[in-house]
Amino acid sequence: MMSVARIVAAGALGLLLAAPVAVFADESGAIPLPPPRTEGGKPLMDALRERKSSREFSKEALSPRRLSDLLWAAFGINRPDTGGRTAPSAMNRQEIDIYVATADGLYLYDARGHRLIRKGTGDIRELTGQQPFVVGAPVNLIYVADYGRMGEARGEDKAFYAAVATGAVSQNVYLFCASEGLATVVRASLDAPALAKAMGLRNEQRIVLAQSVGLSGTKAEPAKPAVKRTPAPEAIWSTPARVDGPPTSGAPEDAVTAPPQTPATTSPNPLGQPKLTIEKPTEY
């Protein structure tokens, strides 16, 4: 028989997976995420085959369970003994932070604690991109490079390393979404200064890309082309390009569309007499 403690724990977990993320924030604004599922999913080759960009999103929110798995797959810790992550970074600087913009507010993913830290209560999804669909996407990930973690590298090198690391993180998200049947698209079209101001970023933090994630939306069906109908016979005869009158009884069917045949002309014999045929002499 299942113990009362197990029943209570199972009920609490079910409530956690069904409720909005912000409900479980503590006083510090940190929201613990369910432990990520690090096994299962589609085989890698299937996920690669089905990887694609989608721009139609359902407004339905992602459950904390799915959000937990998504963030771990993106840039979570897969080697707790060393702190290694699911995506590479130059000299293991781990300079990329993932911010999560939802209808409930703005959060920072803390990979070491596998939790979300609240950074704002407003819905800033509209600022995460310049395409109309970003407002309705339930989750917009914002990839921010912290140049302060990148040592004494030159500015152009920091930008290059951050771009490469962000590309690896965004591809992890693509493969996770392909495995889970979610829609996603990575985007660079955004007003970075306006978004950085709304997020309260420091001067050393630079926005690299954003990525929308959610359940697939329904795309409107295209209008069906008009059905072509065969014109009535009387319409055919009234068409100037047709022959002047209907075919007489017994005329072939193609008389409707076939142009009138011009009789072949023969060259008259200038002598007015039949042409002579010269036979080839018999050879023995």
Side-chain angles (χ1 to χ4, degrees):
M1 178 180 293
M2 183 180 291
S3 66
V4 175
R6 287 189 177 184
I7 295 175
V8 173
L13 179 59
L15 179 62
L16 174 64
L17 300 185
V21 173
V23 171
F24 299 95
D26 58 24
E27 294 180 357
S28 66
I31 302 167
L33 291 169
R37 295 172 295 184
T38 59
E39 297 181 355
K42 290 184 178 179
L44 175 60
M45 301 307 285
D46 291 346
L48 285 170
R49 185 183 65 247
E50 297 178 18
R51 191 220 68 85
K52 63 180 180 180
S53 293
S54 302
R55 294 171 177 81
E56 289 86 33
F57 297 93
S58 167
K59 294 183 179 180
E60 182 180 348
L62 294 185
S63 68
R65 160 61 69 194
R66 227 166 194 173
L67 185 58
S68 168
D69 295 349
L70 166 68
L71 293 173
W72 181 86
F75 202 34
I77 293 179
N78 62 355
R79 288 152 289 166
D81 54 335
T82 63
R85 312 286 282 268
T86 58
S89 58
M91 295 171 285
N92 197 31
R93 298 291 189 183
Q94 301 182 8
E95 72 276 6
I96 302 303
D97 287 320
I98 302 179
Y99 286 79
V100 184
T102 72
D104 299 325
L106 178 68
Y107 304 89
L108 171 64
Y109 174 53
D110 174 20
R112 296 190 180 279
H114 193 64
R115 60 181 184 167
L116 294 176
I117 299 175
R118 182 187 286 277
K119 290 297 182 178
T121 57
D123 183 357
I124 66 168
R125 288 178 296 170
E126 184 177 4
L127 296 176
T128 66
Q130 297 178 340
Q131 299 92 337
F133 62 81
V134 301
V135 180
V139 169
N140 284 292
L141 305 178
I142 307 163
Y143 303 125
V144 177
D146 190 339
Y147 282 17
R149 301 179 198 158
M150 302 182 74
E152 300 300 325
R154 296 177 301 174
E156 57 268 28
D157 291 337
K158 291 181 179 180
F160 174 73
Y161 295 149
V164 171
T166 300
V169 172
S170 66
Q171 178 70 339
N172 281 356
V173 172
Y174 266 109
L175 295 177
F176 174 81
C177 290
S179 178
E180 288 288 305
L182 297 175
T184 188
V185 59
V186 69
R187 303 175 284 96
S189 179
L190 50 84
D191 186 344
L195 180 56
K197 182 178 180 180
M199 296 172 64
L201 298 182
R202 308 186 316 273
N203 290 336
E204 291 180 326
Q205 292 179 289
R206 308 294 174 86
I207 296 173
V208 184
L209 292 171
Q211 189 165 7
S212 300
V213 179
L215 277 68
S216 298
T218 303
K219 192 173 183 179
E221 291 292 334
K224 294 183 179 180
V227 179
K228 294 183 179 180
R229 301 182 180 278
T230 304
E234 57 270 19
I236 295 177
W237 305 127
S238 63
T239 304
R242 304 297 183 182
V243 294
D244 294 335
T248 58
S249 176
E253 294 180 359
D254 61 357
V256 176
T257 57
Q261 299 292 326
T262 303
T265 58
T266 57
S267 301
N269 186 355
L271 300 178
Q273 297 177 354
K275 294 182 178 180
L276 298 177
T277 301
I278 301 177
E279 296 182 356
K280 185 178 182 180
T282 304
E283 297 182 358
Y284 297 95

